[in-house]
Amino acid sequence: MPPPDVEAVAEQVFAALADPTRRAILAALAAGGPATATDLAGRLPITRQAIAKHLALLAEAGLVTAEPGERRRVRYRLRSAPMRVAQQFLAALARDWDGPLDALKDHLDQHVADPRDADRGLNTSRRQD
């Protein structure tokens, strides 16, 4: 099986995490373990039907998985794999930024050692009559 498209997985994770209710559902699952939509509705201030809709979006993003429970009740469990993919995406993005930002910092450190030099450098573009 080919590796997942990191950017596509990260996009789904970020879209899912953009909603505060979905973040609350994930936090409730992280704190209390697997739960049904009814269990979660008892812990959160939204209806079971709204929870079910959010759980469907979280499942689509791969952040939760539905498991058959007792008496035909579906329990939802967190999945960390998509979150790790999103973290890897962010880490790679940070590396891409860190290099140029470090180079800029080094450049500024070399050329603007004294704040008075910076003032003189900024003033050189003004016309002097």
Side-chain angles (χ1 to χ4, degrees), residues 36-114:
T36 65
T38 303
D39 296 336
L40 291 166
R43 295 186 223 167
L44 299 169
I46 68 171
T47 66
R48 191 198 64 73
Q49 292 81 6
I51 296 261
K53 287 180 181 180
H54 285 291
L55 284 167
L57 289 168
L58 290 168
E60 189 177 311
L63 292 168
V64 298
T65 186
E67 310 175 328
E70 54 194 51
R71 292 179 278 151
R72 297 186 309 177
R73 294 179 76 196
V74 176
R75 296 176 68 78
Y76 292 87
R77 176 183 303 276
L78 286 178
R79 287 191 65 240
S80 62
M83 194 70 74
R84 284 195 304 272
V85 171
Q87 287 173 323
Q88 291 167 352
F89 175 83
L90 288 174
L93 191 60
R95 281 191 304 273
D96 290 345
W97 276 87
D98 287 347
L101 288 176
D102 287 343
L104 176 61
K105 181 186 178 307
D106 292 344
H107 173 78
L108 292 174
D109 287 347
Q110 290 173 2
H111 292 91
V112 186
D114 183 337

